[in-house]
Amino acid sequence: AWIKVEQLKPYHPHKEEMIKINKGKRFQQAVDAVEEFLRKTKGKDQASSHNSNEEKNRRNSSEERGKQSAGEEKRKASLSEGKLKKGTGEGKKRVSSVSSERGSKSPLKRTQDQSPRKRGRPPKDEKDLTIPESSTVKRVMTGTVAGFKWPPSVSEPVKDSDPHFHHFLLSQTEKPAVCYQAITKKLKVCEEETGSTSIQAADSTAVNGSITPTDKKIGFLGLGLMGSGIVSNLLKMGHTVTVWNRTAEKCDLFIQEGARLGRTPAEVVSTCDITFACVSDPKAAKDLVLGPSGVLQGIRPGKCYVDMSTVDADTVTELAQVIVSRGGRFLEAPVSGNQQLSNDGMLVILAAGDRGLYEDCSSCFQAMGKTSFFLGEVGNAAKMMLIVNMVQGSFMATIAEGLTLAQVTGQSQQTLLDILNQGQLASIFLDQKCQNILQGNFKPDFYLKYIQKDLRLAIALGDSVNHPTPMAAAANEVYKRAKALDQSDNDMSAVYRAYIH
């Protein structure tokens, strides 16, 4: 893509910041490629530097020997000339001639003539740097790749403290190093008809790292905050996807991106090999499967159903039983993350149930998430997901409590955030949620009503095994208070408002 010079930043100081701000799997892979290149180039430079030092030492030693030899020759010539002063003029001329000839062929002179290059100038092969191709770079370059265009390269030395950084990025004030010529040779420059540039696959088979999309037909039910990002990434990675949503208008955008439209959940399941679903709560999950024109009506032997909703273990076990009873295969796969992580394809997937189906979903899980866990029998993923969200919800309530306490005691909320960000609690979650509160921006990234639902289900899970959950119970009461203040459809960080009313 085109990058304005004023937007370029030094690589190392800004790497972590750029990774955590709205960047997804492809950006992370680009960073990995940069790091691999830097490691290889650093090794090459160190070897080159070592060789240069040895060459320099050899030259210095040779020059020193040349100087000593020249001095010795000069001394001998002087002695010979002194002895021959009494001789004829022809003798003087002959000695002078010999001395001159010896001087022109002194070791010092021969050393300089045979030197491969002038001192201080890099060897030719160091100037024409070639870029080691990582596996990621090789894969990207097999397709139609948008190139990076830099200003004309110059030969002036780079003065940054980290010279390797200039192989990929420029600082805001410096000019590109010579090595950019090699990079531009490696990348093929193309522009779409729209005038913009993009990295595309060589054909309809998308390439994202090592992802090769499955040839199975994929269905997806539910296009909420999480489902929308998941479907978008499935399409980007080259999967064939049929979508359905209770509010049909939400399907329009994905139809434009290449998805197919299913009229009912039953139709989607019957026409697809693997159907995913992501809905809000246990009731919605049951209605989707057992309701009119529901999933169950489309299930027949060999059809696969993957429920990605965050529900309780009893609900998911019931759904698994009815699906399997019709000859279908079932996998639960709730996801940990939020809307931004869903959009970026960086969710964490917790799966349980049919292990073979889990393997069949491999390319889909790689497209939508950064990692996945297989946790065994049906129900385990539901339990783990509730525990994860219980911790997250309780932490969010504690953050809100701390910020309000700082405010009422006359302390700076921003300073509190700065202190937390420098300590052991520092995290993207902490920073983003505190920024939401400080800016009064509660646009939903994870609905407050859903985190309260998860807390309630986690408390019930504790009750089922007679295990106390006092922290979750206390947090749940604060979220219930926030819901009573009409914060249900805001982000979970809006729990802050329960403390200031």
Side-chain angles (χ1 to χ4, degrees):
W2 292 99
I3 303 175
K4 295 182 179 179
V5 174
E6 61 268 20
Q7 293 177 332
L8 297 173
K9 297 180 180 179
Y11 177 70
H12 288 292
H14 293 272
K15 180 182 72 173
E16 295 300 328
E17 174 190 351
M18 294 304 295
I19 288 177
K20 73 179 184 180
I21 298 179
N22 302 332
K23 303 300 178 185
K25 187 187 295 290
R26 288 179 176 176
F27 185 83
Q28 182 61 55
Q29 289 176 341
V31 171
D32 292 342
V34 171
E35 298 287 0
E36 182 178 353
F37 172 78
L38 297 183
R39 285 194 297 271
K40 290 184 177 180
T41 306
K42 183 177 181 180
K44 180 178 178 181
D45 288 350
Q46 288 177 341
S48 176
S49 176
H50 179 71
N51 293 337
S52 297
N53 288 336
E54 289 185 349
E55 177 66 20
K56 182 177 180 180
N57 291 336
R58 284 196 296 271
R59 287 201 307 269
N60 291 340
S61 177
S62 177
E63 289 175 3
E64 185 63 29
R65 288 195 301 271
K67 289 178 181 179
Q68 293 175 354
S69 178
E72 184 66 20
E73 291 269 350
K74 184 176 181 181
R75 187 177 64 83
K76 290 181 179 180
S78 297
L79 291 175
S80 299
E81 185 177 357
K83 291 179 179 180
L84 296 174
K85 278 184 179 180
K86 297 180 180 180
T88 64
E90 182 181 353
K92 291 181 180 178
K93 182 178 181 180
R94 183 178 61 82
V95 172
S96 178
S97 175
V98 170
S99 178
S100 176
E101 182 179 351
R102 285 178 178 174
S104 64
K105 296 295 183 179
S106 68
L108 175 60
K109 182 66 176 178
R110 286 197 300 270
T111 300
Q112 291 175 337
D113 290 344
Q114 296 172 4
S115 177
R117 61 182 183 275
K118 295 182 180 180
R119 294 183 62 188
R121 180 174 297 174
K124 184 177 181 180
D125 60 347
E126 288 181 5
K127 291 177 67 178
D128 297 331
L129 294 175
T130 57
I131 303 173
E133 295 182 9
S134 68
S135 57
T136 302
V137 173
K138 288 180 180 177
R139 284 192 297 270
V140 171
M141 289 192 298
T142 59
T144 305
V145 183
F148 299 93
K149 291 186 176 181
W150 294 276
S153 61
V154 293
S155 57
E156 63 184 57
V158 178
K159 299 178 182 179
D160 192 84
S161 58
D162 183 358
H164 306 301
F165 142 72
H166 292 277
H167 289 300
F168 269 81
L169 297 177
L170 296 174
S171 69
Q172 295 180 355
T173 58
E174 293 173 327
K175 296 181 180 180
V178 177
C179 60
Y180 286 103
Q181 292 178 337
I183 295 178
T184 53
K185 290 178 183 177
K186 290 287 183 182
L187 298 176
K188 180 180 179 181
V189 179
C190 72
E191 291 189 7
E192 297 179 351
E193 293 181 359
T194 59
S196 61
T197 59
S198 63
I199 296 179
Q200 300 176 331
D203 52 31
S204 59
T205 302
V207 177
N208 181 30
S210 60
I211 298 177
T212 300
T214 178
D215 57 2
K216 297 181 182 296
K217 296 179 180 178
I218 305 299
F220 203 95
L221 313 175
L223 300 174
L225 289 183
M226 307 297 284
S228 294
I230 291 173
V231 171
S232 180
N233 282 304
L234 287 173
L235 291 170
K236 288 176 183 176
M237 296 304 110
H239 295 85
T240 300
V241 185
T242 300
V243 297
W244 174 89
N245 191 70
R246 184 173 55 183
T247 306
E249 290 77 13
K250 287 189 176 182
C251 297
D252 293 343
L253 176 62
F254 302 101
I255 302 302
Q256 295 173 12
E257 293 182 3
R260 301 172 183 178
L261 178 64
R263 293 175 296 179
T264 65
E267 180 184 287
V268 173
V269 172
S270 64
T271 58
C272 296
D273 301 305
I274 303 174
T275 300
F276 294 85
C278 187
V279 292
S280 58
D281 54 35
K283 182 180 184 304
K286 290 181 180 180
D287 289 345
L288 187 61
V289 174
L290 305 174
S293 300
V295 168
L296 195 59
Q297 294 185 21
I299 292 291
R300 60 178 184 268
K303 292 295 181 180
C304 303
Y305 186 64
V306 182
D307 194 338
M308 308 190 79
S309 312
T310 300
V311 297
D312 58 285
D314 290 341
T315 296
V316 78
T317 300
E318 179 183 347
L319 297 180
Q321 290 173 349
V322 296
I323 296 295
V324 173
S325 69
R326 294 288 184 91
R329 301 166 65 193
F330 182 86
L331 184 74
E332 60 165 331
V335 293
S336 177
N338 53 31
Q339 183 183 32
Q340 187 61 58
L341 293 175
S342 176
N343 293 340
D344 292 341
M346 297 293 283
L347 296 169
V348 176
I349 301 155
L350 312 182
D354 189 318
R355 181 61 188 252
L357 179 52
Y358 172 73
E359 300 295 341
D360 290 341
C361 294
S362 176
S363 72
C364 297
F365 288 158
Q366 289 180 65
M368 65 181 74
K370 65 178 180 179
T371 189
S372 62
F373 295 84
F374 184 78
L375 303 178
E377 64 182 18
V378 170
N380 286 345
K383 294 173 184 177
M384 185 66 80
M385 189 74 258
L386 291 177
I387 295 170
V388 169
N389 283 357
M390 178 188 75
V391 173
Q392 181 174 261
S394 299
F395 184 42
M396 181 67 252
T398 300
I399 292 172
E401 190 171 293
L403 286 172
T404 52
L405 182 59
Q407 184 181 42
V408 299
T409 57
Q411 305 305 306
S412 167
Q413 293 179 321
Q414 180 61 58
T415 301
L416 172 61
L417 173 57
D418 293 341
I419 294 170
L420 292 174
N421 274 335
Q422 294 301 316
Q424 293 178 321
L425 293 178
S427 65
I428 295 175
F429 178 82
L430 171 72
D431 186 61
Q432 288 180 341
K433 297 310 179 185
C434 285
Q435 293 294 348
N436 286 354
I437 293 172
L438 295 178
Q439 297 168 13
N441 175 21
F442 299 108
K443 180 181 177 181
D445 193 44
F446 191 119
Y447 282 114
L448 184 144
K449 60 185 177 184
Y450 292 160
I451 196 67
Q452 191 274 322
K453 176 261 299 182
D454 294 343
L455 281 167
R456 173 172 53 82
L457 294 176
I459 293 168
L461 176 62
D463 289 344
S464 70
V465 292
N466 196 33
H467 183 78
T469 53
M471 301 298 105
N476 186 46
E477 293 302 316
V478 182
Y479 284 101
K480 286 162 62 176
R481 168 66 175 164
K483 287 178 65 178
L485 296 170
D486 295 326
Q487 302 302 313
S488 292
D489 292 325
N490 283 333
D491 185 71
M492 63 188 302
S493 54
V495 69
Y496 172 82
R497 289 179 171 170
Y499 287 97
I500 59 177
H501 284 82

CSV table of all heavy atoms in Angstrom, one decimal, residues 370-389:
chain,number,residue,atom,x,y,z
A,370,LYS,N,-6.5,-16.9,16.2
A,370,LYS,CA,-5.0,-17.0,16.2
A,370,LYS,C,-4.6,-18.4,16.8
A,370,LYS,O,-3.5,-18.8,16.6
A,370,LYS,CB,-4.4,-15.9,17.0
A,370,LYS,CG,-4.8,-15.9,18.5
A,370,LYS,CD,-4.1,-14.7,19.2
A,370,LYS,CE,-4.4,-14.6,20.7
A,370,LYS,NZ,-3.7,-13.5,21.4
A,371,THR,N,-5.5,-19.0,17.6
A,371,THR,CA,-5.2,-20.3,18.2
A,371,THR,C,-6.5,-21.0,18.5
A,371,THR,O,-7.5,-20.4,18.7
A,371,THR,CB,-4.3,-20.2,19.4
A,371,THR,OG1,-3.8,-21.5,19.8
A,371,THR,CG2,-5.0,-19.6,20.5
A,372,SER,N,-6.4,-22.3,18.7
A,372,SER,CA,-7.6,-23.1,19.1
A,372,SER,C,-7.2,-24.2,20.0
A,372,SER,O,-6.0,-24.7,20.0
A,372,SER,CB,-8.3,-23.7,17.9
A,372,SER,OG,-7.5,-24.6,17.2
A,373,PHE,N,-8.1,-24.6,20.9
A,373,PHE,CA,-7.8,-25.6,21.9
A,373,PHE,C,-8.9,-26.7,21.8
A,373,PHE,O,-10.1,-26.4,21.7
A,373,PHE,CB,-7.8,-25.1,23.3
A,373,PHE,CG,-6.8,-24.1,23.6
A,373,PHE,CD1,-6.9,-22.7,23.3
A,373,PHE,CD2,-5.6,-24.5,24.3
A,373,PHE,CE1,-5.9,-21.8,23.6
A,373,PHE,CE2,-4.6,-23.5,24.6
A,373,PHE,CZ,-4.8,-22.2,24.2
A,374,PHE,N,-8.5,-28.0,21.8
A,374,PHE,CA,-9.5,-29.1,21.8
A,374,PHE,C,-9.5,-29.6,23.2
A,374,PHE,O,-8.5,-30.1,23.8
A,374,PHE,CB,-9.1,-30.2,20.8
A,374,PHE,CG,-10.1,-31.2,20.8
A,374,PHE,CD1,-11.3,-31.0,20.1
A,374,PHE,CD2,-10.0,-32.4,21.5
A,374,PHE,CE1,-12.3,-32.0,20.0
A,374,PHE,CE2,-11.0,-33.4,21.4
A,374,PHE,CZ,-12.1,-33.2,20.7
A,375,LEU,N,-10.7,-29.5,23.9
A,375,LEU,CA,-10.8,-29.8,25.3
A,375,LEU,C,-11.5,-31.1,25.7
A,375,LEU,O,-11.8,-31.3,26.8
A,375,LEU,CB,-11.5,-28.6,26.0
A,375,LEU,CG,-10.9,-27.2,25.8
A,375,LEU,CD1,-11.7,-26.2,26.4
A,375,LEU,CD2,-9.4,-27.2,26.3
A,376,GLY,N,-11.7,-32.0,24.7
A,376,GLY,CA,-12.3,-33.3,25.0
A,376,GLY,C,-13.8,-33.4,24.7
A,376,GLY,O,-14.2,-33.0,23.6
A,377,GLU,N,-14.5,-33.9,25.6
A,377,GLU,CA,-15.9,-34.2,25.4
A,377,GLU,C,-16.8,-33.0,25.5
A,377,GLU,O,-16.4,-32.0,26.1
A,377,GLU,CB,-16.4,-35.3,26.4
A,377,GLU,CG,-16.3,-34.8,27.9
A,377,GLU,CD,-16.8,-35.8,28.9
A,377,GLU,OE1,-16.8,-37.0,28.5
A,377,GLU,OE2,-17.1,-35.5,30.0
A,378,VAL,N,-18.0,-33.1,24.9
A,378,VAL,CA,-18.9,-32.0,24.8
A,378,VAL,C,-19.2,-31.5,26.2
A,378,VAL,O,-19.5,-32.3,27.1
A,378,VAL,CB,-20.2,-32.4,24.1
A,378,VAL,CG1,-21.3,-31.4,24.3
A,378,VAL,CG2,-19.9,-32.7,22.6
A,379,GLY,N,-19.2,-30.2,26.4
A,379,GLY,CA,-19.5,-29.6,27.7
A,379,GLY,C,-18.3,-28.9,28.3
A,379,GLY,O,-18.4,-27.9,29.0
A,380,ASN,N,-17.1,-29.5,28.0
A,380,ASN,CA,-15.9,-28.9,28.5
A,380,ASN,C,-15.6,-27.5,28.0
A,380,ASN,O,-15.1,-26.7,28.8
A,380,ASN,CB,-14.7,-29.9,28.2
A,380,ASN,CG,-14.7,-31.1,29.0
A,380,ASN,OD1,-15.4,-31.2,30.0
A,380,ASN,ND2,-13.9,-32.1,28.6
A,381,ALA,N,-15.8,-27.3,26.7
A,381,ALA,CA,-15.5,-26.0,26.2
A,381,ALA,C,-16.5,-24.9,26.7
A,381,ALA,O,-16.1,-23.8,27.0
A,381,ALA,CB,-15.6,-26.0,24.6
A,382,ALA,N,-17.7,-25.3,26.9
A,382,ALA,CA,-18.7,-24.4,27.5
A,382,ALA,C,-18.3,-24.0,28.9
A,382,ALA,O,-18.3,-22.8,29.3
A,382,ALA,CB,-20.1,-25.1,27.5
A,383,LYS,N,-17.9,-25.0,29.7
A,383,LYS,CA,-17.4,-24.7,31.1
A,383,LYS,C,-16.2,-23.8,31.1
A,383,LYS,O,-16.2,-22.8,31.9
A,383,LYS,CB,-17.1,-26.0,31.8
A,383,LYS,CG,-18.3,-26.9,32.0
A,383,LYS,CD,-17.9,-28.2,32.6
A,383,LYS,CE,-19.1,-29.2,32.8
A,383,LYS,NZ,-18.7,-30.5,33.2
A,384,MET,N,-15.2,-24.1,30.3
A,384,MET,CA,-14.0,-23.3,30.2
A,384,MET,C,-14.3,-21.9,29.8
A,384,MET,O,-13.8,-20.9,30.3
A,384,MET,CB,-13.0,-23.9,29.3
A,384,MET,CG,-11.6,-23.2,29.3
A,384,MET,SD,-10.8,-23.3,30.9
A,384,MET,CE,-10.1,-25.0,30.8
A,385,MET,N,-15.2,-21.7,28.8
A,385,MET,CA,-15.5,-20.4,28.3
A,385,MET,C,-16.2,-19.6,29.3
A,385,MET,O,-15.9,-18.4,29.5
A,385,MET,CB,-16.5,-20.5,27.1
A,385,MET,CG,-16.7,-19.2,26.3
A,385,MET,SD,-15.2,-18.8,25.3
A,385,MET,CE,-14.5,-17.5,26.4
A,386,LEU,N,-17.1,-20.1,30.1
A,386,LEU,CA,-17.7,-19.4,31.2
A,386,LEU,C,-16.7,-19.0,32.3
A,386,LEU,O,-16.9,-17.8,32.8
A,386,LEU,CB,-18.9,-20.3,31.8
A,386,LEU,CG,-20.1,-20.5,30.9
A,386,LEU,CD1,-21.1,-21.4,31.6
A,386,LEU,CD2,-20.8,-19.2,30.6
A,387,ILE,N,-15.8,-19.8,32.6
A,387,ILE,CA,-14.8,-19.4,33.6
A,387,ILE,C,-13.9,-18.3,33.0
A,387,ILE,O,-13.6,-17.3,33.8
A,387,ILE,CB,-13.9,-20.7,33.9
A,387,ILE,CG1,-14.7,-21.7,34.6
A,387,ILE,CG2,-12.7,-20.3,34.8
A,387,ILE,CD1,-14.0,-23.1,34.7
A,388,VAL,N,-13.5,-18.3,31.8
A,388,VAL,CA,-12.7,-17.3,31.2
A,388,VAL,C,-13.5,-16.0,31.2
A,388,VAL,O,-12.9,-14.9,31.7
A,388,VAL,CB,-12.4,-17.6,29.7
A,388,VAL,CG1,-11.8,-16.4,29.0
A,388,VAL,CG2,-11.4,-18.8,29.7
A,389,ASN,N,-14.8,-16.0,30.8
A,389,ASN,CA,-15.5,-14.7,30.9
A,389,ASN,C,-15.9,-14.3,32.3
A,389,ASN,O,-16.1,-13.1,32.5
A,389,ASN,CB,-16.8,-14.9,30.0
A,389,ASN,CG,-16.5,-14.9,28.5
A,389,ASN,OD1,-15.4,-14.6,28.1
A,389,ASN,ND2,-17.5,-15.1,27.7
